[in-house]
Amino acid sequence: MKIAKIMSRDVQFVKPDTTLREAASLMKKIDAGCLPVAEHDKLVGMITDRDIAVRGMAEGKGPEAKVGEVMSHEIRYCFEDEDVAHVAENMAELQVRRLPVMTREKRLVGIVSLADLTKGSLPKTAKALHGISKPCGRHSQSHPA
């Protein structure tokens, strides 16, 4: 089964000039722990609740600071035509809970999460999920951007 069949297509994203307050409010509204950061139709980073709370606060950033100041620039992603079991194994190895999903032209088309992977209900998927323990963020990615 391919990732395109199970991923979430309703992707919310923010721009680098979005304030931390706006990003946190959107995360709360959609009940998400991270958001892709896009600029001119290109994925440029990820912002996590941890980036806001830990990195932002540790650097003395306030709620009006910009996402681009604290976002994670190193992003991992997978392609929509990749096999679910392969992506699950990569996520386990990287210890991430979510990955942006891209077309081969590197256009953001979705997000795949642990919950999405369970829809595949493959034995290999379940085994791979067992190894995942860290939240989305700087360590996530299947392919470097």
Side-chain angles (χ1 to χ4, degrees):
M1 181 181 306
K2 303 297 180 191
I3 286 295
K5 295 276 188 189
I6 64 166
M7 71 183 189
S8 301
R9 293 185 180 274
D10 184 22
V11 180
Q12 300 282 325
F13 67 91
V14 292
K15 296 180 179 180
D17 63 352
T18 302
T19 67
L20 297 182
R21 181 189 315 270
E22 292 168 325
S25 293
L26 180 55
M27 286 180 189
K28 180 179 178 184
K29 179 181 175 184
I30 65 172
D31 191 28
C34 69
L35 293 167
V37 182
E39 189 171 42
H40 305 295
D41 202 27
K42 182 182 177 196
L43 185 64
V44 296
M46 294 289 283
I47 183 81
T48 68
D49 49 6
R50 181 173 169 80
D51 290 333
I52 294 169
V54 177
R55 189 179 304 153
M57 294 299 105
E59 294 176 3
K61 307 288 184 192
E64 299 310 312
K66 305 299 182 193
V67 163
E69 297 175 42
V70 300
M71 71 182 188
S72 299
H73 293 275
E74 294 180 28
I75 10 174
R76 301 284 180 191
Y77 58 88
C78 63
F79 291 111
E80 64 183 341
D81 61 356
E82 287 187 81
D83 186 68
V84 170
H86 173 74
V87 172
E89 289 171 11
N90 284 344
M91 289 174 74
E93 182 179 312
L94 297 165
Q95 295 189 329
V96 298
R97 296 178 183 188
R98 294 170 204 87
L99 285 177
V101 180
M102 311 290 276
T103 65
R104 290 290 173 173
E105 293 75 37
K106 295 204 177 168
R107 193 174 127 267
L108 179 66
V109 292
I111 295 279
V112 65
S113 68
L114 291 179
D116 296 328
L117 290 176
T118 62
K119 295 176 194 171
S121 65
L122 302 169
K124 284 176 110 177
T125 302
K127 182 179 179 185
L129 293 178
H130 181 71
I132 300 174
S133 64
K134 292 184 182 176
C136 162
R138 294 163 42 104
H139 304 289
S140 61
Q141 301 184 116
S142 179
H143 303 278

